[in-house]
Amino acid sequence: MKKVEAIIKPFKLEEVKEALTEIGITGMTITEIKGYGRQKGHTEVYRGAEYKVEFNPKIKIELIINTPLVDRAVEAIRRAANTGKIGDGKIFVTAVENVVRIRTGEQGQAAI
């Protein structure tokens, strides 16, 4: 099992969700976050005053999936989230030792 975490632009969430659903991924966790990478924020003007916004709004998607689906999931996220502009985000893949479903006590792949 693997954990796939994707940091994407908020307006790309629906496209990413649809792309993941098409390949058979039915569950995910979504978190609204803020952050920055190489772009180091941006400058905005509000009521004539210019100020720096250091943290940009982002969405973090977390999936726990069976290992054979990982490459397809990563590619689906990459294609759906891509705008070709700076700040499109990142995808992280890490190993998961175990998963336990709280309600039933099922463990491992049965709990996904």
Side-chain angles (χ1 to χ4, degrees), residues 12 19 25 30 33 35 43 47 55 59 64 71 88-89 96 101:
K12 286 294 198 170
I25 294 176
I30 307 299
I33 61 171
T43 304
R47 294 187 178 185
F55 295 100
I59 297 289
I64 306 297
D71 290 339
D88 275 353
V96 173
R101 185 183 311 265

Side-chain angles (χ1 to χ4, degrees), residues 32-49:
E32 293 181 15
I33 61 171
K34 292 183 179 190
Y36 68 89
R38 290 184 181 161
Q39 80 270 23
K40 305 253 189 313
H42 63 279
T43 304
E44 289 188 4
V45 177
Y46 179 72
R47 294 187 178 185

Side-chain angles (χ1 to χ4, degrees), residues 6-8 29-34 58-62:
I7 310 296
I8 64 169
T29 300
I30 307 299
T31 310
E32 293 181 15
I33 61 171
K34 292 183 179 190
K58 301 284 185 177
I59 297 289
K60 180 162 84 169
I61 301 170
E62 296 175 274

